[in-house]
Amino acid sequence: MSEPRKILVTSALPYANGSIHLGHMLEYIQTDMWVRFQKHRGNQCIYVCADDAHGSAIMLRAEKEGITPEQLIANVQAEHSADFAEFLVDFDNFHSTHSDENRELSSQIYTRLRDAGHIATRSITQYFDPEKKMFLADRFIKGTCPKCGTEDQYGDNCEKCGATYAPTDLKNPRSAISGAIPVLKDSQHFFFKLPDFQQMLQTWTRSGTLQDAVANKLSEWLDSGLQQWDISRDAPYFGFEIPGEPGKYFYVWLDAPIGYMASFKNLCDRTPELDFDAFWNKDSTAELYHFIGKDIVNFHALFWPAMLEGSGYRKPTAIAVHGYLTVNGQKMSKSRGTFIKARTYLDHLSPEYLRYYYASKLGRGVDDLDLNLEDFVQKVNSDLVGKVVNIASRCAGFIHKGNAGLLVAENAAPELTDAFLAAAPSIADAYEARDFARAMREIMGLADRANAWIADKAPWSLNKQEGKQAEVQAICATGVNLFRQLVIFLKPVLPLLAADAEAFLNVAPLTWNDHATLLSNHQLNEFKPLMTRIDPVKVQAMTDASKEDLVASQTDTGEAAPAGNGELAKDPISAEIDFDAFAAVDLRVALIVKAEAVEGADKLLRLTLDLGGEQRNVFSGIKSAYPDPSKLDGRLTMMIANLKPRKMKFGISEGMVMAAGPGGEEIYLLSPDSGAKPGQRIK
């Protein structure tokens, strides 16, 4: 057998300024599954992470809460650690970037880069808050979008029109911290000379360290020419001061990735058999992997390896990049209850349900993963309860009642046990390649074969026949052995199920290599239900609780928020617009001359509207609320008369009628007060 591999694995650091949500958990769960697989195979695989604990945001939040930044990050770390532990994310060390190890390594790496000529200094002009006496990051500046005129937009992009711009382009800028009008001020900043590493990065990014899609994306940056990276911030700032530069601090982007090294250094200092240099020195033969989201790939695959190269450390073996999480096909939404915190999920559902669902969806690429809550319930119940656990529950009772729990030696289906054995290398290859979805498909394919075989043998029927008891025991012993094989294959994903199965099987913790053997003449322990089905009621309770989280977080003043009727929680008020933008909308009273259903359309009504001398044809998705459209005939309503006509599948829609409500049967066509006449402007 080959020597065990030496592997160090890291995940992107969670920011110590808020709670972990299910989007975050996508990263940590998949990393944990890969690490558990490596350990399952007998490799030395160490998984470290840390809270990203520096930055202005943490300083300002601590100030607002009346505590020190150190206390804030300690509180958040306790919360994060509890969430990770309950989701079965088994870090070998979870540390903090605000640590002695990180301070020392950041200073060392910076000094090495500086001495090698890879640091530049120059004066830059930034917005400065004259009341808070601090320079403002883009996200702390708000104003009016220079492109569309929408107010209350951040200093780098507009949420309304999507435009990107420099903070100095904002109209009527103000500090989001104090409300003061910011002023322009110069300061000296420190830059990492990333272009120095252009050639190295061009080679390294194409060396197999990245997925092809990621390498292709990075080539756009490389082809356009790399820029220097600002690595400094001015006081006041919560972080580490740059050596020899009073009032200048390392920007979080520099010391955050060093947090991986610092967390490992902290572990090494407490673990004599671990050698930091053996993993991080230039000549290290150990494997080093990063798991990160696609939103920060430019940093992790350009800046970070260049910084390591320039300071005399090794670069990662590979970087595993993944996509975002959506819920029910859409970006996570607080108003829909689909912005789900890790804790909210854990309050209602087993962590292994989500671990399996993520595994069943995760491939090698960088595609987004959708947590469809209906599919989630169906898939977990069907696969884990209906297939895997079902095998044990079908067989255990007969062994306990018919043979005092003793598993006989006879193999009733050698062709099937051979097929399970033959499948193991392919499943292992899928795990190794992080193609968890393929691994789960292959495992569930085996589970289907086992269930079909048991159903065909029907031990429950044979047990009623005289002289068939030995055959029943052989069938059920084989079934339990097949279940054991499936548990071995699933253990990286479902460690709790594996532990409960090991207790039932009366075996030591299972390793991957155990799949090559079968239990024979072996005493089983009492069988207890291993996993219950997901109750859809609990999923609904989780989404309801997530909506409540939104309502609870809408004020941080400590005062009770108005109870309201829940409509704003369902559909929060949009970003502010100025009066000129509103005045451009021409609202008119309209008479519904005729309302009729549209053939072939599920939701649409065709409305013929009279504007006092001009008729319009408008399509409106209100059919669910008005199943008898004729009842709308002769009714006055309100419409946007100057909306550009839209070409639709069933014709041209010449405007839009106004209605309220969330949808379905709850749609209420708006009407003006009595006395209004068609064509009148609504002011």
Side-chain angles (χ1 to χ4, degrees):
M1 184 176 170
S2 59
E3 286 291 311
R5 294 155 62 187
K6 293 173 58 175
I7 307 169
L8 178 62
V9 179
T10 68
S11 295
L13 310 183
Y15 197 38
N17 197 37
S19 299
I20 302 293
H21 57 67
L22 297 194
H24 295 129
M25 289 312 307
L26 177 63
E27 172 155 318
Y28 303 104
I29 286 174
Q30 67 175 297
T31 313
D32 178 78
M33 293 188 303
W34 195 80
V35 169
R36 285 179 181 271
F37 169 72
Q38 298 299 342
K39 292 180 176 180
H40 199 31
R41 296 267 279 180
N43 295 318
Q44 181 187 33
C45 190
I46 301 159
Y47 183 18
V48 299
C49 197
D51 269 332
D52 184 359
H54 287 161
S56 300
I58 285 174
M59 177 182 72
L60 293 167
R61 178 179 165 185
E63 182 183 288
K64 187 177 183 180
E65 294 185 10
I67 58 177
T68 64
E70 288 83 359
Q71 186 59 56
L72 172 65
I73 61 179
N75 295 345
V76 173
Q77 183 163 50
E79 179 190 336
H80 286 181
S81 296
D83 289 348
F84 288 135
E86 289 186 49
F87 262 112
L88 313 171
V89 177
D90 190 21
F91 297 117
D92 291 281
N93 198 40
F94 188 75
H95 202 39
S96 171
T97 59
H98 192 64
S99 65
D100 291 340
E101 296 90 353
N102 202 3
R103 184 192 300 273
E104 292 164 7
L105 283 165
S106 296
S107 297
Q108 181 204 73
I109 288 172
Y110 167 79
T111 304
R112 288 181 179 180
L113 292 171
R114 182 197 64 193
D115 294 349
H118 299 307
I119 301 294
T121 59
R122 64 176 182 271
S123 182
I124 66 168
T125 303
Q126 296 171 273
Y127 270 137
F128 183 81
D129 186 325
E131 291 187 15
K132 289 293 290 184
K133 306 296 184 187
M134 64 180 290
F135 286 97
L136 296 170
D138 294 354
R139 65 183 175 280
F140 294 135
I141 306 163
K142 285 194 169 184
T144 302
C145 173
K147 300 291 174 64
C148 72
T150 301
E151 295 183 0
D152 207 34
Q153 297 304 300
Y154 288 103
D156 54 359
N157 72 92
C158 176
E159 294 179 342
K160 181 69 178 288
C161 72
T164 58
Y165 40 75
T168 50
D169 294 332
L170 274 176
K171 298 177 183 176
N172 305 315
R174 64 187 185 278
S175 167
I177 301 168
S178 70
I181 298 172
V183 297
L184 291 171
K185 188 174 179 179
D186 293 342
S187 72
Q188 181 173 267
H189 272 229
F190 296 76
F191 294 83
F192 175 53
K193 296 160 74 173
L194 188 59
D196 291 358
F197 302 90
Q198 174 92 21
Q199 191 57 55
M200 181 276 289
L201 289 169
Q202 281 181 321
T203 303
W204 185 77
T205 56
R206 291 294 186 183
S207 64
T209 57
L210 303 167
Q211 298 113 304
D212 287 345
V214 175
N216 292 338
K217 184 65 180 176
L218 291 179
S219 69
E220 297 175 14
W221 280 55
L222 290 161
D223 292 346
S224 63
L226 298 173
Q227 305 296 312
Q228 295 182 355
W229 283 58
D230 190 345
I231 59 168
S232 65
R233 289 295 183 266
D234 294 274
Y237 189 81
F238 184 65
F240 295 141
E241 203 166 50
I242 298 175
E245 304 293 342
K248 304 292 181 180
Y249 288 79
F250 289 127
Y251 182 40
V252 64
W253 275 125
L254 180 132
D255 64 35
I258 295 173
Y260 308 135
M261 305 170 74
S263 183
F264 184 63
K265 181 70 165 59
N266 176 264
L267 180 64
C268 290
D269 290 345
R270 296 182 285 108
T271 313
E273 62 269 26
L274 283 179
D275 179 10
F276 179 86
D277 291 340
F279 285 83
W280 284 102
N281 271 4
K282 197 87 169 174
D283 59 355
S284 169
T285 57
E287 299 172 61
L288 173 59
Y289 298 95
H290 290 312
F291 284 70
I292 61 166
K294 62 184 180 183
D295 55 327
I296 51 176
V297 68
N298 295 332
F299 176 76
H300 277 79
L302 295 175
F303 178 90
W304 174 229
M307 196 164 71
L308 289 168
E309 175 80 9
S311 58
Y313 285 106
R314 55 90 45 86
K315 297 183 290 296
T317 306
I319 296 174
V321 183
H322 60 85
Y324 303 125
L325 178 76
T326 58
V327 180
N328 291 341
Q330 295 178 300
K331 184 179 178 181
M332 288 195 296
S333 163
K334 291 180 177 177
S335 63
R336 289 191 295 269
T338 56
F339 189 96
I340 304 167
K341 294 195 298 189
R343 179 53 46 189
T344 308
Y345 176 98
L346 291 166
D347 286 343
H348 295 87
L349 296 163
S350 163
E352 294 202 313
Y353 297 153
L354 191 70
R355 288 176 66 96
Y356 177 72
Y357 192 77
Y358 280 175
S360 73
K361 296 285 185 177
L362 276 164
R364 296 194 62 195
V366 294
D367 296 333
D368 296 345
L369 185 151
D370 184 49
L371 171 57
N372 181 288
L373 294 174
E374 187 175 330
D375 180 56
F376 166 67
V377 173
Q378 189 277 327
K379 189 164 191 62
V380 170
N381 287 348
S382 172
D383 287 2
L384 297 186
V385 182
K387 295 179 182 179
V388 178
V389 172
N390 188 49
I391 297 171
S393 59
R394 282 172 131 182
C395 298
F398 294 112
I399 297 172
H400 278 291
K401 292 175 184 177
N403 203 37
L406 185 67
L407 200 74
V408 300
E410 186 178 349
N411 184 353
E415 74 289 346
L416 198 50
T417 54
D418 286 349
F420 273 52
L421 185 65
S426 177
I427 295 169
D429 288 346
Y431 268 120
E432 180 67 41
R434 306 182 320 282
D435 195 349
F436 300 108
R438 178 165 72 84
M440 297 308 104
R441 284 196 302 274
E442 293 188 19
I443 293 166
M444 291 306 149
L446 295 174
D448 283 333
R449 292 183 64 179
N451 276 294
W453 177 79
I454 295 167
D456 181 62
K457 294 298 181 181
W460 43 86
S461 296
L462 287 175
N463 199 49
K464 298 173 184 177
Q465 300 176 31
E466 193 68 34
K468 295 288 187 180
Q469 278 64 45
E471 187 177 349
V472 168
Q473 290 303 312
I475 292 166
C476 292
T478 302
V480 168
N481 265 307
L482 294 173
F483 167 75
R484 172 179 170 272
Q485 304 292 77
L486 294 172
V487 169
I488 291 169
F489 296 151
L490 286 168
K491 188 171 180 177
V493 180
L494 306 169
L496 292 183
L497 175 67
D500 289 344
E502 288 159 355
F504 156 61
L505 294 168
N506 190 26
V507 295
L510 293 163
T511 69
W512 184 268
N513 289 337
D514 288 330
H515 80 273
T517 61
L518 300 175
L519 299 177
S520 81
N521 292 317
H522 180 80
Q523 186 66 47
L524 301 176
N525 287 326
E526 179 187 358
F527 179 78
K528 299 175 181 177
L530 295 168
M531 183 174 282
T532 57
R533 299 173 68 85
I534 300 177
D535 185 347
V537 171
K538 291 186 176 181
V539 176
Q540 185 59 51
M542 177 184 68
T543 59
D544 290 345
S546 296
K547 291 178 183 178
E548 291 169 11
D549 287 343
L550 167 70
V551 175
S553 66
Q554 284 178 334
T555 178
D556 56 6
T557 64
E559 302 172 1
N565 60 6
E567 294 299 324
L568 292 183
K570 295 179 188 174
D571 192 0
I573 294 171
S574 302
E576 291 179 352
I577 61 172
D578 59 27
F579 184 81
D580 290 340
F582 172 75
V585 178
D586 191 343
L587 293 171
R588 299 279 175 164
V589 177
L591 173 68
I592 302 175
V593 177
K594 185 174 180 60
E596 55 191 333
V598 180
E599 187 175 344
D602 295 330
K603 300 178 180 180
L604 291 181
L605 294 183
R606 179 186 287 107
L607 306 177
T608 303
L609 303 175
D610 182 5
L611 288 172
E614 178 183 339
Q615 286 199 348
R616 298 280 186 90
N617 181 72
V618 171
F619 292 96
S620 181
I622 59 175
K623 185 178 178 180
S624 57
Y626 301 97
D628 183 1
S630 64
K631 291 184 177 179
L632 295 174
D633 292 354
R635 177 172 163 178
L636 292 175
T637 189
M638 302 157 62
M639 76 169 295
I640 302 174
N642 65 332
L643 187 66
K644 187 177 180 180
R646 294 172 296 154
K647 187 176 182 181
M648 302 177 70
K649 181 179 178 181
F650 302 99
I652 304 293
S653 188
E654 302 170 301
M656 180 184 291
V657 294
M658 310 296 289
E665 295 179 1
E666 294 186 67
I667 299 175
Y668 306 96
L669 199 64
L670 300 187
S671 298
D673 206 348
S674 58
K677 297 178 181 178
Q680 286 182 335
R681 184 185 287 271
I682 298 167
K683 301 179 180 180

